Amino acid sequence: MATDIVAQLANSLAKTGVEEVELSYKGQGKKLDDAQSVEEMVKEIQDFEDLQALRLEGNTVGVEAAKAIAKALETKSKFKRCYWSDMFTGRLRSEIPPALNSLGDALMLAGAKLTVLDLSDNAFGPDGVKGIERLLKSTACYTLQELRLNNCGMGIGGGKILAASLIQCHKNSSAEGTPLGLKVFVAGRNRLENDGATALAQAFQLMGSLEEVHMPQNGINHPGVTALAKAMQHNAGLRILNLNDNTFTEKGAFAMAQALKHLRSIQVINFGDCLVRPAGAIAIAGTVSEGLPILKELNLSFGEITEEAALTVAQAVKDKDQLEKLDLNGNSLGEDGCKALKDAMEAMNIGELLGSLSDDEGEPEDDEDDDDDDDHDDDEEEDDEDVDVDEEEIEEEEEEEEEEESNGNKLSTPVAASRPPDVSSFLSFPSPDKLLKLGAMRAMLIEQQVDVSDATKTAEAFLKIASVYKEDNDDVKNAVLDSIDALLKKAFSTPSFQGCNFVSTLLVLLGLIKSEDKVKPVLVVRGHLNALEHVASQDYFPKEYVDVLAVFLSRNPKALESCGNARNSLLSTLQRVRSEDCGHTHTHTHTHTHRDKLNFD
C-alpha cells in the first residue's frame, strides 16, 4: 500500500514538473533597447531546454532587443504561448512592426506550434497587424487557440488585414488536414467599425470553432453586428459573446436574436450599452425563452429598454436553472417600472439574480416622441397630397393621349392597342385600379419586380401594395392579399433574406419605432394593418416576429389613432397566433410553458 502511495506521489510530482515550462519577466518595467540590455534574458531563454511560454508583459522592448530575443527563440521547437501584451510602451509606432516580424520569424524558424498569442494593450495600429501577418499565415499558427489583441488600435485597415490572415491560415491549414480551430478571440477597443467587423465575420464563419468572442467598444453599428450575427450561427460551441458598447439598434438586435437560436452552448451574453431598444430586447427574450439551456449571464444594460420589454426579458429567464445574473441597469424603466421588475423577479423566486437598477434613466419622454410623430404625420400628409396631384396629372395625360388617339391625331398608334401592365407605375403611385389592371399575373409580376434580397425594399413594397386594400371590394382585397402572399413567400424562402431587418423596417415605416437612419414613416392607413393581420396568420411568416409586433401595436401610438378598429383586430389576431403557437409547442415539449404568461397589454 505504501509503495502505491509513493508511486502516486512521484507521478503527481512528475506531472507538476512538466508544467515548469514558462519563463516570466512580467511587470518588471524594464527598458530593453538593445542586445546588451537583454543579455541575461537571452541566456536564460537559451538555457531553458523545453521552453513553452514567454511572458514579456509590462516591459518595453526595442527593435534590437527584440532581434536578440528572437535569436534565442529560434531553437525552441516546443514553444507554444506568447504573452506579449503591453511591451512597447514609449516606443515609436514604426519600431513595432520590425520587432514583431523578428519575433514571429524566429518562431516560424523554430517550428513552434502556437496555442496562445497575446499582444493586447500595445496600440500598434494597422502597421502592427502587418508585423504579425506573416506569422498568422504560417504553420506556427495552425494550432492557435487563443488570439488576444485587445486595445491595439487596429482600426478598419488592421481588422481587414487580420481577417485576411486568419482566412489564409485556415485555408493553408485545412489543405494539410489540420484546419485552424481558434477558440478565443479578443479584440476590444480597436475601432474596427462596420467594415472591420464584417471582414472578421467572414473569418469567424469559415473557422466555426470559436468558444469566446470579446469585441467591446469598436464603433460597430447594425450592418457590422448583423454580419457578426450571421457568422456566430456557424460557431455552435460559442460560450461567451461580449459585444458591449457597440450600437445594435433594433436591426442588429433582431439579427443577434436569430443567431442565438443556433447557440445552445452560450453561457454569457453581454450586449450592455448596445442600444438594443425595446423591440430588440423582446426579440432576444424570445430566443432566450425558447432555448439557451445553460445561460449564466445576460447583460442588456443601458439599451433604452422600457418596462414592458424588461418584464418580457424577466419572464424569458424564469426557467434558466443556471442563470447567475440578469443586468438591466441603466435602461428606461422609471421608478414604477423598476419596482414592477423587482416584484416580477421576486414572484418568480429569482429576485437575487437581478443586478442593480441604480442607474435607471427614467421613463422615456413621450411628449418628444409625439412631437416627432406629429412632424412625420404632417410631412406625410404633404407628401400624400403631392402624390395625389402626380397621379391626377398622370391620369389626365393618359386620358388626353387616348382622346388624341381617338381623334386620329396619333394615327401610328391604334386606338385598340392598350398599354401593357406596368408594375413600376403601380409601385410608384399605387391605386386599386392600377393593381387590377395588372391582370391575373399581377402577383408574379410584382414578385419579379421587387428585389426580395433587400429587406427594406420588400417592406416598402409590402406597404405600397397594402395601401390600396379595400375591405368592401373583394376583387381588390383578393388582389392585394394574393400579391402580398406571393411577395413574402418568396422573400422568407430566400436564404439571403434578412427577416429581422424586414420587421424592423416595417416598424419604422409604420411609425412604431424611431429609425437610426432618419427614415420618415408613411401615412398609415387601415389597409396596412388589415394586410399585416393576414400575413401574421400565414405559415410563411416566422412566429418569432409575432411577439415583437404585438408589443408595439399594443402601445396605441399616435401613428395608428386613425386606424383604431383595424389596429384592435390586428392585435387580437397577433395574440391568437401567439397563443396557438404556445399551445402547439406545449403539446410537443414542456420547456416553453411560461411563454403564454407574457402579457403585452
Side-chain angles (χ1 to χ4, degrees):
M1 179 66 72
T3 305
D4 292 340
I5 293 173
V6 171
Q8 290 174 10
L9 181 60
N11 184 50
S12 177
L13 290 171
K15 288 181 179 178
T16 303
V18 172
E19 295 301 319
E20 297 292 333
V21 292
E22 180 178 291
L23 194 55
S24 178
Y25 301 93
K26 180 178 179 179
Q28 295 185 7
K30 293 183 176 181
K31 193 171 187 294
L32 308 172
D33 296 322
D34 49 32
Q36 184 176 358
S37 64
V38 292
E39 280 184 352
E40 183 180 345
M41 183 185 296
V42 166
K43 186 175 187 308
E44 289 178 347
I45 292 173
Q46 290 172 337
D47 293 343
F48 205 125
E49 186 175 351
D50 294 322
L51 182 65
Q52 292 186 21
L54 178 63
R55 289 188 173 274
L56 295 174
E57 310 104 306
N59 299 285
T60 176
V61 182
V63 175
E64 295 305 316
K67 287 181 179 178
I69 294 170
K71 188 69 177 175
L73 289 172
E74 288 180 355
T75 60
K76 305 303 173 183
S77 61
K78 295 184 179 181
F79 196 82
K80 294 181 179 180
R81 300 187 296 279
C82 306
Y83 297 107
W84 297 347
S85 63
D86 188 23
M87 71 172 197
F88 294 115
T89 301
R91 299 292 170 183
L92 296 174
R93 185 168 287 187
S94 59
E95 294 182 79
I96 300 175
L100 290 173
N101 273 319
S102 296
L103 292 165
D105 290 347
L107 297 177
M108 289 187 283
L109 185 62
K113 301 295 182 185
L114 295 184
T115 57
V116 178
L117 178 58
D118 186 355
L119 289 165
S120 297
D121 301 315
N122 279 312
F124 47 46
D127 290 341
V129 185
K130 292 178 182 177
I132 58 172
E133 185 176 7
R134 253 194 334 258
L135 174 64
L136 286 173
K137 293 178 180 179
S138 73
T139 56
C141 285
Y142 287 4
T143 51
L144 194 63
Q145 295 182 10
E146 297 183 20
L147 179 58
R148 300 177 182 271
L149 297 168
N150 201 58
N151 192 30
C152 287
M154 291 189 288
I156 295 172
K160 289 182 175 180
I161 295 169
L162 177 60
S165 299
L166 291 173
I167 289 171
Q168 189 62 50
C169 181
H170 185 271
K171 180 180 178 181
N172 295 344
S173 57
S174 296
E176 296 191 15
T178 56
L180 172 64
L182 191 67
K183 293 182 179 180
V184 178
F185 180 83
V186 181
R189 301 182 65 186
N190 270 291
R191 295 180 287 107
L192 293 170
E193 300 182 16
N194 291 332
D195 289 348
T198 300
L200 285 165
Q202 295 175 7
F204 298 162
Q205 182 169 332
L206 190 64
M207 291 185 293
S209 55
L210 290 167
E211 296 179 4
E212 294 185 27
V213 174
H214 303 264
M215 296 175 66
Q217 297 183 28
N218 269 296
I220 306 171
N221 298 325
H222 72 80
V225 172
T226 299
L228 289 171
K230 183 180 178 182
M232 292 306 111
Q233 295 182 26
H234 298 269
N235 290 266
L238 193 68
R239 295 182 296 105
I240 300 174
L241 181 56
N242 176 10
L243 295 174
N244 189 285
D245 200 7
N246 290 290
T247 308
F248 283 32
T249 63
E250 293 88 348
K251 290 182 180 179
F254 280 18
M256 274 297 168
Q258 292 300 301
L260 289 171
K261 293 181 179 182
H262 301 266
L263 305 176
R264 292 185 59 79
S265 297
I266 199 80
Q267 296 179 18
V268 177
I269 299 171
N270 187 345
F271 296 160
D273 206 8
C274 285
L275 201 65
V276 298
R277 293 180 175 156
I282 291 166
I284 292 168
T287 297
V288 171
S289 68
E290 295 169 4
L292 314 190
I294 57 174
L295 184 66
K296 292 184 177 180
E297 182 176 336
L298 176 60
N299 184 346
L300 295 177
S301 59
F302 297 93
E304 292 189 359
I305 298 172
T306 54
E307 176 186 345
E308 60 192 347
L311 290 172
T312 305
V313 173
Q315 283 282 351
V317 301
K318 177 183 177 183
D319 295 329
K320 302 303 165 187
D321 296 336
Q322 297 189 36
L323 190 73
E324 297 173 0
K325 183 177 182 182
L326 172 62
D327 191 346
L328 291 171
N329 197 18
N331 282 299
S332 303
L333 309 185
E335 185 176 346
D336 291 342
C338 287
K339 184 178 185 303
L341 178 61
K342 290 177 181 177
D343 290 347
M345 294 287 284
E346 290 290 347
M348 296 183 288
N349 297 317
I350 52 174
E352 73 281 1
L353 304 183
L354 181 64
S356 169
L357 298 176
S358 60
D359 294 320
D360 186 76
E361 296 185 356
E363 294 183 49
E365 295 292 335
D366 291 335
D367 292 340
E368 183 180 335
D369 291 348
D370 290 346
D371 291 342
D372 288 346
D373 287 341
D374 286 341
D375 293 340
H376 289 319
D377 289 347
D378 291 342
D379 292 339
E380 290 302 329
E381 285 171 7
E382 291 174 9
D383 292 344
D384 190 55
E385 289 173 5
D386 292 341
V387 169
D388 290 341
V389 170
D390 291 339
E391 282 197 75
E392 289 172 6
E393 289 176 356
I394 290 170
E395 289 171 359
E396 286 174 4
E397 289 174 4
E398 289 176 353
E399 288 173 2
E400 288 173 4
E401 289 174 2
E402 290 173 0
E403 186 178 346
E404 289 177 359
E405 289 174 0
S406 63
N407 290 333
N409 294 335
K410 288 190 177 181
L411 299 177
S412 60
T413 306
V415 176
S418 61
R419 296 182 179 183
D422 188 347
V423 178
S424 296
S425 174
F426 166 71
L427 291 176
S428 297
F429 305 107
S431 73
D433 187 54
K434 286 182 181 179
L435 181 62
L436 293 178
K437 283 182 178 179
L438 290 175
M441 303 295 288
R442 67 180 67 87
M444 184 187 73
L445 291 171
I446 292 173
E447 174 192 325
Q448 291 174 345
Q449 179 75 16
V450 179
D451 178 10
V452 296
S453 65
D454 188 322
T456 298
K457 290 180 180 177
T458 305
E460 291 171 347
F462 164 79
L463 291 177
K464 287 177 178 179
I465 300 168
S467 69
V468 304
Y469 180 97
K470 288 186 177 297
E471 184 63 41
D472 57 355
N473 188 322
D474 288 343
D475 289 341
V476 174
K477 180 169 71 172
N478 292 333
V480 167
L481 299 183
D482 289 346
S483 299
I484 285 173
D485 283 341
L487 176 67
L488 296 188
K489 277 180 185 177
K490 181 179 179 182
F492 282 106
S493 64
T494 300
S496 60
F497 183 67
Q498 292 287 337
C500 53
N501 286 352
F502 169 80
V503 174
S504 62
T505 301
L506 208 56
L507 291 171
V508 168
L509 293 173
L510 290 173
L512 299 175
I513 59 176
K514 288 185 178 181
S515 166
E516 63 269 18
D517 300 322
K518 307 296 183 184
V519 176
K520 287 185 177 181
V522 301
L523 181 63
V524 181
V525 296
R526 289 182 176 84
H528 292 140
L529 306 189
N530 293 142
L532 193 55
E533 179 179 356
H534 168 80
V535 168
S537 302
Q538 304 307 305
D539 291 339
Y540 61 73
F541 188 72
K543 296 302 179 279
E544 56 261 29
Y545 301 136
V546 172
D547 280 351
V548 177
L549 291 174
V551 166
F552 285 92
L553 263 296
S554 68
R555 291 183 172 185
N556 194 23
K558 205 163 196 175
L560 304 181
E561 277 184 348
S562 62
C563 307
N565 292 337
R567 170 201 160 276
N568 293 338
S569 180
L570 170 57
L571 186 56
S572 176
T573 296
L574 292 172
Q575 297 286 18
R576 175 180 56 77
V577 172
R578 288 180 59 250
S579 178
E580 289 175 355
D581 185 43
C582 289
H584 175 74
T585 304
H586 181 72
T587 61
H588 290 83
T589 176
H590 297 287
T591 61
H592 310 323
T593 54
H594 61 282
R595 287 188 63 201
D596 59 1
K597 298 178 183 177
L598 298 179
N599 183 6
F600 298 109
D601 293 332

